[in-house]
Amino acid sequence: MILTEAAAARGPAGAWTSSEPLVEVRALKTWFPVRSGVIGRTVAQVRAVDGVDLAIRQGETLGLVGESGCGKSTLGRSILRLVEPTSGEVFFKGRDLLRMGSGPIRRMRREMAMIFQDPFASLDPRQSIGGILGEALDIQRLSRTRRMREERIAELLDLVGLSPRFASRYPHEFSGGQRQRIGIARALAVDPSFIVCDEPVSALDVSIQAQIINLLQQLQERLHLTYLFIAHDLSVVKHISDRIAVMYVGKVIEISPARDLYARPRHPYTGSLLSAIPIPDPRIERGRERIILKGDVVSPVNPPSGCRFRTRCFKAQPRCAESEPALETVRDGEHLAACYFPL
Amino acid sequence: MSARLLELEDVHTQLTLREGVVRAVDGVSFHVDAGETLGIVGESGSGKSMTALSIMRLLPRSGRIIGGSIRFKGRELRDLAEAEMEALRGTDIAMIFQDPMTSLNPVYRTGWQVGEPLRIHRHVKTAASVAAAVGLFKKVGIPEPEKRAMQYPHMFSGGMRQRAMIAMGLSTGPSLLIADEPTTALDVTIQAQILDLLRHLNREFGTATILITHNLGVVAGMCDRVIVMYAGRIVEEGRTEDVFANPEHPYTWSLLRSIPRLDAEVRGRLQPIEGSPPDMARLPEGCKFRSRCSFAIDRCATEEPELRQVRSQLTRCWVTQGGVSLESQSDLD
């Protein structure tokens, strides 16, 4: 990849400029051991993320889609080093996060944050909203005086469209949509430039989802944020993303500008994924050609040889079992797919 | 006697909770004809699942049907003894749920479980019931059915478990299948498989289906008619094409405009519905959607509208009942 070469040619840390990717992931692997027996011997490895290369540009939203167990959440957490990757590199503003000690990584975390799927599970029920937001400020020692702290909390609540009066209230007093706003305020507390949004609207009622999607878009413009937006709902991802990466069993199998991916998916998996999303219009929905896949998602413990999708693929040939196709340009430089027989 | 397969008339179901008494289903009337697929859409707390559980008489302990009539093939289900209801549930009405894992018993082999309704209600012998289960597994697209029937539920993926539940539901040839969010816990490619299976079974066996979902896309592809629920009531009912093309209730109208569509050309801002669904223990006067409605008029705050015919649909809205079209009204804004 061209981007990777640019990063390799770059000098030592600190030489990063905003024209380069904000986040760059190279050959990233995060494997989890499967232990068994009384002594907990490792009997297998779950290859949750199994060799991913990815670049996220400053100010963009990169959507990351795939089915449950494909490794998309683990990839998001690996980038923030909330889980420890097995191997590979993650550059943030040109500095390799995986080779950083705990002090420097904590300072780097001021620039990165995460928004979770279930705002209720991720908010401490015994803490007031002010306490929850204040804690995020305290960890990074961001408010020198109590006054500054309170002002910042009020400012954060205002940013996410909540009244500063809510600071003294507790999570259970809020609806799902409001709780997600609080989750977003907490992510913003450290004034990050990069946020991993992990299924931020999946747990919300349909009528609330649009509020949160719009809020995330407004905040992006106002605060110049860069998002990695992880979700299984391709309609939502297409709406919010500039580019979309599709994962299947630990690998990115296609990456492309959002419009292009929908207009012309190249990987058979992406094609079937798109055709499986119901469109809320009976006139269109009833006439659609669907690619119904056979079987279930394969296990990330023992992925098939060659292309991991070949066991469910309607275009698979003997070659697909022999070697794994690389993620390569299929049309122009922006649209890449890992398939020997693209659509 | 009614010719309808299922007919609900002014059904009221209450839940007695710590927060107070919740009227989870508040005056719901609708019917299902033989062979048709009816969709019920709504958000969490709208009463769609409680409506289904009222039909099945499977309400949680806090729940009670306090009024109305539920007739299935002309029989009043509320009057049936529990044993009669039990027999009906195992034979002529089947229900499948969102999470198939909690509906399957982890300690029994799947084939044995799927054959259970046949043993209990059709007095089929054990071996024959398991053999029938293998046949049903084949019908619902479970690969290697003989081997799978000998396995336990934990060895099945989510999609396979849902197929097994559908197989069990269909074993006695029911005339009505109630599917409560059957694909919500599944991945989209698996959802497509299950919906394809439901469509196929509906065509092949003529089983009428009530499909409960929050996903408007699923309704669009599956249902002949659709009911939209909000705060325990039906707010709109009509043929699926009509409701999607010309919604006559502001809730339906705004919901359709608030969801991102895969086939949308422009990437602008979504038009969200502001606010949240009301607290069911403290429902406001008048129309329950009023505080979130951009079409509301004074009357909506004090009087609750009835469900009335407006053009080709039924709708519970003063604005459209007063002759206003939501489409032209929104153009004025």
Side-chain angles (χ1 to χ4, degrees):
Chain A
M1 263 174 84
I2 303 155
L3 294 169
T4 314
E5 282 161 22
R10 192 194 309 127
W16 181 83
T17 63
S18 62
S19 60
E20 294 169 56
L22 181 69
V23 178
E24 206 180 333
V25 172
R26 283 193 230 159
L28 191 72
K29 287 186 182 178
T30 304
W31 292 10
F32 299 110
V34 180
R35 296 186 201 279
S36 175
V38 275
I39 52 164
R41 207 159 44 89
T42 299
V43 292
Q45 298 279 351
V46 177
R47 305 173 179 196
V49 177
D50 201 19
V52 165
D53 295 276
L54 207 61
I56 307 172
R57 297 163 195 161
Q58 172 116 352
E60 79 168 341
T61 297
L62 178 69
L64 185 59
V65 295
E67 298 181 273
S68 50
C70 73
K72 57 189 191 300
S73 278
T74 305
L75 176 57
R77 280 156 209 254
S78 301
I79 291 173
L80 298 184
R81 250 183 97 180
L82 296 175
V83 296
E84 213 50 52
T86 309
S87 65
E89 291 164 312
V90 177
F91 290 95
F92 183 82
K93 293 194 172 173
R95 299 183 61 191
D96 189 348
L97 297 180
L98 305 190
R99 272 150 203 82
M100 249 179 219
S102 60
I105 189 92
R106 195 165 67 208
R107 280 191 293 280
M108 281 309 256
R109 285 232 172 92
R110 268 177 219 174
E111 303 207 36
M112 302 179 280
M114 184 147 178
I115 297 167
F116 299 90
Q117 170 173 355
D118 184 348
F120 199 48
S122 65
L123 298 174
D124 181 353
R126 294 160 305 178
Q127 264 194 322
S128 70
I129 302 311
I132 289 168
L133 298 178
E135 189 179 60
L137 296 170
D138 296 342
I139 289 170
Q140 292 287 355
R141 299 183 193 91
L142 288 170
S143 297
R144 276 193 299 278
T145 66
R146 228 180 97 186
R147 172 91 184 277
M148 279 173 71
R149 193 172 182 267
E150 273 164 27
E151 276 173 8
R152 178 67 179 148
I153 290 167
E155 184 188 13
L156 287 167
L157 287 171
D158 185 58
L159 265 177
V160 298
L162 292 175
S163 161
R165 287 182 292 113
F166 288 171
S168 56
R169 299 216 198 150
Y170 289 83
H172 73 268
E173 299 175 60
F174 294 93
S175 68
Q178 288 173 321
R179 281 180 206 146
Q180 191 55 291
R181 287 176 195 268
I182 295 162
I184 295 170
R186 183 179 53 186
L188 295 175
V190 295
D191 201 11
S193 52
F194 174 60
I195 300 181
V196 174
C197 310
D198 191 4
E199 302 269 10
V201 300
S202 318
L204 303 176
D205 268 326
V206 191
S207 79
I208 307 295
Q209 291 190 4
Q211 296 176 6
I212 299 299
I213 294 167
N214 282 3
L215 174 65
L216 287 171
Q217 287 181 312
Q218 280 160 17
L219 290 170
Q220 178 166 46
E221 283 161 22
R222 233 168 119 178
L223 305 171
H224 310 290
L225 299 170
T226 302
Y227 290 144
L228 176 64
F229 191 96
I230 303 169
H232 67 277
D233 184 337
L234 252 164
S235 318
V236 170
V237 172
K238 186 202 167 217
H239 174 78
I240 200 168
S241 306
D242 300 295
R243 293 188 303 137
I244 298 176
V246 184
M247 275 186 87
Y248 189 78
V249 197
K251 290 262 183 187
V252 170
I253 52 99
E254 184 157 10
I255 183 164
S256 141
R259 274 184 83 127
D260 226 38
L261 188 83
Y262 171 71
R264 186 126 197 246
R266 304 308 300 263
H267 197 288
Y269 177 63
T270 313
S272 59
L273 205 55
L274 287 167
S275 86
I277 313 277
I279 291 175
D281 184 336
R283 287 165 303 188
I284 296 172
E285 185 61 13
R286 286 178 193 169
R288 278 173 86 201
E289 289 276 326
R290 252 177 243 291
I291 308 167
I292 304 270
L293 289 181
K294 289 188 290 274
D296 285 310
V297 178
V298 298
S299 159
V301 177
N302 282 312
S305 67
C307 171
R308 287 158 195 223
F309 183 60
R310 71 177 165 83
T311 52
R312 298 174 80 195
C313 186
F314 48 94
K315 292 197 81 175
Q317 303 280 326
R319 185 182 172 193
C320 305
E322 286 155 19
S323 63
E324 186 161 16
L327 191 62
E328 281 168 347
T329 302
V330 281
R331 220 162 133 82
D332 52 60
E334 285 280 281
H335 195 151
L336 290 81
C339 180
Y340 292 128
F341 307 99
L343 299 174
Chain B
M1 209 179 88
S2 165
R4 306 287 196 200
L5 179 65
L6 176 76
E7 193 159 27
L8 275 72
E9 229 177 282
D10 201 27
V11 173
H12 292 259
T13 300
Q14 274 188 355
L15 297 175
T16 310
L17 305 172
R18 257 181 321 175
E19 303 90 286
V21 173
V22 166
R23 293 151 79 165
V25 180
D26 205 358
V28 163
S29 308
F30 67 86
H31 68 270
V32 182
D33 286 331
E36 79 168 335
T37 299
L38 173 75
I40 303 184
V41 286
E43 302 176 73
S44 46
S46 62
K48 55 192 196 305
S49 291
M50 284 300 151
T51 301
L53 294 175
S54 301
I55 297 167
M56 295 299 279
R57 282 182 38 191
L58 287 173
L59 289 166
R61 211 171 287 172
S62 60
R64 208 159 62 87
I65 306 171
I66 56 158
S69 143
I70 303 170
R71 284 187 300 277
F72 179 71
K73 294 187 171 172
R75 286 164 87 193
E76 176 57 54
L77 298 188
R78 291 190 63 202
D79 296 339
L80 295 187
E82 184 48 39
E84 291 174 289
M85 193 64 214
E86 178 81 50
L88 193 63
R89 280 198 290 262
T91 56
D92 216 7
I93 308 180
M95 184 159 177
I96 55 174
F97 298 90
Q98 176 173 340
D99 183 358
M101 193 56 191
T102 51
S103 324
L104 286 166
N105 190 328
V107 302
Y108 296 109
R109 294 180 201 274
T110 54
W112 191 86
Q113 285 189 68
V114 167
E116 189 168 28
L118 290 173
R119 287 195 300 281
I120 295 175
H121 302 291
R122 298 277 187 270
H123 311 292
V124 172
K125 292 271 183 303
T126 303
S129 76
V130 175
V134 171
L136 288 161
F137 275 11
K138 204 173 287 169
K139 222 165 234 157
V140 298
I142 294 178
E144 302 179 87
E146 290 86 0
K147 188 179 131 197
R148 287 301 198 162
M150 298 309 287
Q151 293 181 341
Y152 293 91
H154 75 268
M155 301 161 92
F156 277 44
S157 66
M160 284 301 154
R161 280 181 213 139
Q162 198 56 288
R163 283 175 195 270
M165 285 309 297
I166 293 170
M168 180 149 86
L170 293 170
S171 62
T172 52
S175 358
L176 178 65
L177 174 71
I178 302 179
D180 188 2
E181 302 271 10
T183 59
T184 304
L186 305 174
D187 279 316
V188 279
T189 60
I190 310 300
Q191 165 171 285
Q193 293 174 353
I194 297 292
L195 294 179
D196 196 49
L197 172 66
L198 289 176
R199 258 191 294 261
H200 169 78
L201 295 172
N202 174 263
R203 269 201 304 270
E204 189 177 342
F205 302 107
T207 316
T209 307
I210 299 179
L211 182 66
I212 298 170
T213 176
H214 67 278
N215 188 326
L216 289 164
V218 169
V219 171
M222 297 287 293
C223 302
D224 304 304
R225 284 189 303 128
V226 59
I227 282 172
V228 182
M229 287 190 74
Y230 191 79
R233 312 141 154 71
I234 294 176
V235 293
E236 180 157 7
E237 176 182 343
R239 293 194 332 127
T240 306
E241 291 96 296
D242 299 336
V243 172
F244 279 75
N246 294 301
E248 299 288 1
H249 194 281
Y251 174 61
T252 321
W253 190 90
S254 353
L255 202 56
L256 282 166
R257 269 154 194 79
S258 74
I259 48 176
R261 280 174 61 152
L262 197 59
D263 60 340
E265 274 300 319
V266 268
R267 191 188 145 203
R269 285 273 196 271
L270 298 171
Q271 299 167 37
I273 306 179
E274 299 303 336
S276 318
D279 181 349
M280 289 298 285
R282 284 173 211 81
L283 282 180
E285 290 287 297
C287 172
K288 309 309 170 213
F289 185 61
R290 187 193 59 88
S291 63
R292 308 176 74 190
C293 182
S294 47
F295 300 95
I297 52 176
D298 291 346
R299 193 178 186 185
C300 308
T302 49
E303 280 177 84
E304 178 162 24
E306 296 284 311
L307 193 64
R308 290 231 166 83
Q309 185 89 26
V310 171
R311 286 170 279 270
S312 48
Q313 281 112 275
L314 293 173
T315 176
R316 194 185 281 280
C317 174
W318 290 127
V319 177
T320 51
Q321 286 175 10
V324 174
S325 130
L326 297 180
E327 207 58 49
S328 62
Q329 178 83 355
S330 70
D331 290 344
L332 300 176
D333 296 341

